Amino acid sequence: MKFLVCVSKAPDTTTKITFTDNNTKFNEDKVQWIMNPTDEWYALVKALELKEKLGGTVTTVTVGKADVEPVIRKGLAIGADDAVRIDADDVDAYQVAALIADYAKSEGYDIIFTGKETINYNGFMVAGMLSELLDLPYISLGVKLDLNGNTATVVREIEGGEETLEVKTPFVVSCQKGMAEARIPNMRGIMAARTKPLKVVAAASVDTYTTVHHFEAPKERGNVKLISPDNVEELVRLLHEEAKVI
Amino acid sequence: MSVLIFVETQEGKLKKSAREAASYGAKLAGKLGTDAVAVAVGKIDHSELATLGQQGVSKVLHEENAKLDHFDSRAFTKVVAAAADKAGATILILSSTFNGKALAPRLSVRLKAGVVTNATELANTEGTFTVKKAVFSGKGVANFTFATDKKIITVNANSFPIAKGEGSAAVEDFSAGLADSDFGVKVLHVEKAGEGIPLPEAELVVSAGRGLKGPENWGMIEEMANLLHAATACSRAVSDVDWRPHHEHVGQTGLTISPNLYIAVGISGAIQHLAGVSSSKTIVVINVDPEAPFFKAADYGIVGDAFAVVPKLNEALKKYYANN
Ligand SMILES: Cc1cc2nc3c(=O)[nH]c(=O)nc-3n(C[C@H](O)[C@H](O)[C@H](O)COP(=O)(O)OP(=O)(O)OC[C@H]3O[C@@H](n4cnc5c(N)ncnc54)[C@H](O)[C@@H]3O)c2cc1C
Ligand SMILES: Nc1ncnc2c1ncn2[C@@H]1O[C@H](COP(=O)(O)O)[C@@H](O)[C@H]1O
């Protein structure tokens, strides 16, 4: 079985977010990059679990410039066999999906894993676009996956419950909590990662569908109104009369 | 030209999010001087679909195919794309539901249309066409523009009010000519998570964290949620140790929600938690520690022990609902 895991970088979750160039660019100065959490914790580890059980290979793919390589190496340290970096700045979900599709179309992967969404632009888009570009079934928000031959049973989250479905390989699945238990790379893994293959491929020429026109800071909330714990009726009154939410 | 809205249904009824998306689409169509057309699939009465007229929809295309009672991103894409063709749509509106967000990117590729998910406001049509959404987990807001002629927008729950006008939409049967090969998944079964209000669409949410000490103490939280007709949520710390189910976990790595009211009990307000809830309209925080970071992100706060405050608050709510 050949498994492909799409991994992206993301700003560390505690990063202070600021913008430059007249609020048209995200200020990357001093940003600590991590692997996008759901890619690392669930997509990658699920692929590794399947490989350990059924045999095969786990490859990661990342659209990014050389500065993303520490993130890619972390994936190798956690256990991926090899990695591919498509050499381009990631500017928009369509561009990323088109580049990954262009690379993956002739590689014959059985399952393509992605995280639920990236925590930068919170798009939830790359996986769906990739499936359409490759004409594959797509299951979003997978929380469980068993593979038997070329038939997978996948549980996905739906509003107010879960749905169990059957799908034949090849397909694309986005992963969230429940899929797997996050793994921490050990010393052996970190050493091994240094010599595992990281292939850099040139980016095909693809379109961009959307761009950020300008950024804004989120709306500020006023100061908190403190209410005495002995006067909870006052909170109920404020929720009704002032906030008008009940 | 027209604006096409994909409306989701559940057990033969239009979902609330569908009416929000329809209201958004109709408003946008009005600004652009064109019609709002909706597309619905699966089993649902025409009389229910006609009520989309109240949201400003003039026509509904309905593909009633029993196979579409379960979601399949590939088959649904074919139907919505065919409807977009038929309606001559240049703008597509979907809800930011799980299925809406699985469908929008496929449609984007199929129709060569840029997509912006999780829109929080009506698109700006004066000058450059832009769509606003929260980025970096709520720590920034981005206004996106499109390089494509066709555009797709998914609308966040509770971001756009439901229009309540007069009128009835014309409902038309329609078929995209689906073949078996258009279906990629086979649904084996569906499990409901219980009777409560589903969190993603909830207008009011009561949430609790590690401050509650153990899962056995959630009774008072559930009671408050029942009184308010609210959904329940929790911090990641709590779902990590299985005090609460995973689907209740909000935050940067869980659900992002923007209810009208978010009440946080015994949650410290870590930045990753705030990421998922900071766009709530009103936030109430109950915490023993006056230094808890959550108070800085709250509208109303009570510094106090949850085990004393929550039961009193529940009594006050009972009194309030008895009189209102
Ligand atoms: C990459 C990453 C992603 C993450 N994603 C998420 C996410 O999506 N969502 C999320 O929630 N977290 C997330 N976290 C974890 C987050 O950093 C916090 O650890 C977590 O939110 C803490 O949960 P808590 O507030 O319930 O617990 P604690 O931080 O332990 O806070 C408990 C609070 O309860 C108060 N308290 C104690 N006793 C009482 C009482 N009797 N009455 C009232 N108050 C009381 C305390 O004062 C304290 O403020 C993430 C972390 C990382 C590193
Ligand atoms: N630059 C990238 N390189 C590789 N995979 C990516 C990239 N960006 C996003 N992805 C994958 O697509 C998923 C969804 O991303 P998004 O659509 O940005 O929310 C992520 O969880 C990753 O698995």
Side-chain angles (χ1 to χ4, degrees):
Chain A
M1 285 278 170
K2 281 181 79 176
F3 303 112
L4 183 68
V5 185
C6 303
V7 304
S8 167
K9 68 172 185 193
D12 179 85
T13 52
T14 55
T15 308
K16 196 167 155 32
I17 303 293
T18 57
F19 306 107
T20 60
D21 292 21
N22 229 346
N23 286 331
T24 58
K25 279 206 175 66
F26 168 50
N27 183 4
E28 298 197 359
D29 194 34
K30 299 203 190 85
V31 170
Q32 217 18 62
W33 296 103
I34 58 167
M35 194 185 301
N36 187 52
T38 50
D39 307 0
E40 175 184 331
W41 299 342
Y42 312 123
L44 176 57
V45 179
K46 186 68 213 184
L48 293 172
E49 284 177 2
L50 288 176
K51 174 199 143 163
E52 285 154 12
K53 206 165 121 200
L54 307 165
T57 54
V58 175
T59 302
T60 66
V61 63
T62 304
V63 176
K65 301 299 273 186
D67 67 327
V68 74
E69 290 193 359
V71 167
I72 299 177
R73 290 275 173 218
K74 182 164 188 199
L76 295 170
I78 292 171
D81 296 294
D82 61 342
V84 172
R85 177 169 73 79
I86 304 175
D87 190 26
D89 263 323
D90 49 337
V91 292
D92 136 79
Y94 180 78
Q95 173 240 13
V96 169
L99 289 175
I100 297 175
D102 183 65
Y103 157 75
K105 65 177 190 278
S106 51
E107 295 285 328
Y109 290 107
D110 295 290
I111 304 180
I112 301 180
F113 295 90
T114 76
K116 165 186 140 151
E117 65 185 357
T118 47
I119 56 172
N120 46 17
Y121 295 98
N122 303 94
F124 208 112
M125 290 191 281
V126 169
M129 290 176 171
L130 192 54
S131 344
E132 183 67 18
L133 287 160
L134 297 172
D135 194 22
L136 296 178
Y138 165 43
I139 299 106
S140 64
L141 297 174
V143 294
K144 247 183 236 143
L145 191 162
D146 290 311
L147 188 59
N148 193 343
N150 69 343
T151 305
T153 310
V154 185
V155 181
R156 72 167 183 124
E157 188 180 355
I158 56 173
E159 270 104 10
E162 286 182 348
E163 185 178 88
T164 306
L165 52 87
E166 207 174 79
V167 58
K168 298 240 185 293
T169 59
F171 61 89
V172 178
V173 60
S174 81
C175 307
Q176 64 164 344
K177 191 158 167 169
M179 254 310 187
E181 286 295 328
R183 292 183 184 179
I184 297 162
N186 58 25
M187 210 52 209
R188 240 184 66 212
I190 294 166
M191 296 304 284
R194 293 192 187 157
T195 52
K196 283 182 181 173
L198 193 170
K199 189 165 87 181
V200 180
V201 301
S205 147
V206 299
D207 288 337
T208 303
Y209 280 2
T210 54
T211 46
V212 174
H213 185 267
H214 65 278
F215 289 102
E216 293 166 29
K219 271 199 209 100
E220 293 272 338
R221 230 168 254 279
N223 282 340
V224 57
K225 238 182 219 175
L226 287 179
I227 296 140
S228 153
D230 301 320
N231 193 10
V232 290
E233 289 77 13
E234 175 65 1
L235 175 63
V236 176
R237 186 189 71 78
L238 287 167
L239 291 178
H240 177 61
E241 290 176 12
E242 191 176 79
K244 299 191 169 60
V245 288
I246 63 170
Chain B
M1 195 185 149
S2 73
V3 173
L4 183 77
I5 304 122
F6 172 65
V7 289
E8 289 177 51
T9 66
Q10 195 172 32
E11 284 153 19
K13 292 273 172 225
L14 285 156
K15 289 176 85 168
K16 172 177 161 252
S17 58
R19 294 198 190 273
E20 289 174 344
S23 306
Y24 186 106
K27 182 89 188 218
L28 192 55
K31 278 180 117 190
L32 299 169
T34 178
D35 286 335
V37 179
V39 54
V41 304
K43 196 167 168 44
I44 181 163
D45 282 343
H46 282 191
S47 58
E48 172 77 0
L49 291 175
T51 62
L52 283 167
Q54 295 160 12
Q55 278 75 55
V57 169
S58 58
K59 187 162 86 178
V60 186
L61 301 171
H62 181 211
E63 159 116 32
E64 183 172 3
N65 179 337
K67 285 181 127 179
L68 295 169
D69 285 337
H70 287 297
F71 183 71
D72 182 307
S73 68
R74 195 153 58 172
F76 274 51
T77 296
K78 183 162 177 178
V79 175
V80 179
D85 237 19
K86 190 172 161 72
T90 49
I91 297 183
L92 251 75
I93 307 295
L94 298 94
S95 309
S96 290
T97 52
F98 297 159
N99 289 350
K101 287 202 287 180
L103 202 50
R106 289 203 86 127
L107 284 163
S108 166
V109 171
R110 182 82 56 110
L111 301 171
K112 297 200 183 342
V115 49
V116 176
T117 50
N118 303 342
T120 53
E121 278 181 19
L122 192 66
N124 172 37
T125 52
E126 266 108 71
T128 314
F129 189 104
T130 55
V131 179
K132 206 185 272 295
K133 71 179 280 190
V135 290
F136 298 104
S137 308
K139 288 189 269 182
V141 173
N143 294 272
F144 277 90
T145 58
F146 296 81
T148 52
D149 292 335
K150 290 184 187 161
K151 303 169 177 70
I152 303 177
I153 301 169
T154 81
V155 184
N156 267 359
N158 297 317
S159 302
F160 200 78
I162 294 175
K164 294 201 172 84
E166 302 282 312
S168 164
V171 184
E172 203 177 285
D173 281 315
F174 137 91
S175 164
L178 286 170
D180 281 347
S181 59
D182 291 315
F183 292 83
V185 303
K186 189 169 115 200
V187 173
L188 302 178
H189 65 265
V190 172
E191 196 140 341
K192 289 257 166 64
E195 290 307 298
I197 295 169
L199 180 58
E201 288 197 12
E203 287 178 23
L204 308 177
V205 175
V206 182
S207 186
R210 208 146 54 180
L212 282 214
K213 316 277 189 267
E216 66 282 4
N217 297 325
W218 248 263
M220 61 184 188
I221 298 297
E222 279 166 356
E223 185 185 1
M224 196 197 313
N226 277 336
L227 288 165
L228 287 164
H229 295 287
T232 47
C234 69
S235 70
R236 179 181 180 97
V238 155
S239 73
D240 269 351
V241 290
D242 288 329
W243 290 2
R244 299 296 293 175
H246 290 333
H247 65 255
E248 279 198 0
H249 146 218
V250 293
Q252 191 156 35
T253 48
L255 263 188
T256 302
I257 53 170
S258 45
N260 293 335
L261 175 64
Y262 184 75
I263 301 181
V265 183
I267 301 177
S268 57
I271 194 156
Q272 298 94 348
H273 184 84
L274 296 182
V277 302
S278 59
S279 58
S280 306
K281 272 159 216 101
T282 298
I283 295 181
V284 175
V285 168
I286 299 171
N287 197 307
V288 268
D289 175 8
E291 301 297 323
F294 219 146
F295 284 116
K296 291 208 177 65
D299 300 288
Y300 304 107
I302 295 181
V303 178
D305 180 350
F307 296 97
V309 174
V310 174
K312 274 199 273 180
L313 183 54
N314 286 349
E315 288 312 308
L317 285 169
K318 271 183 215 156
K319 241 186 264 161
Y320 166 79
Y321 283 113
N323 298 328
N324 283 277

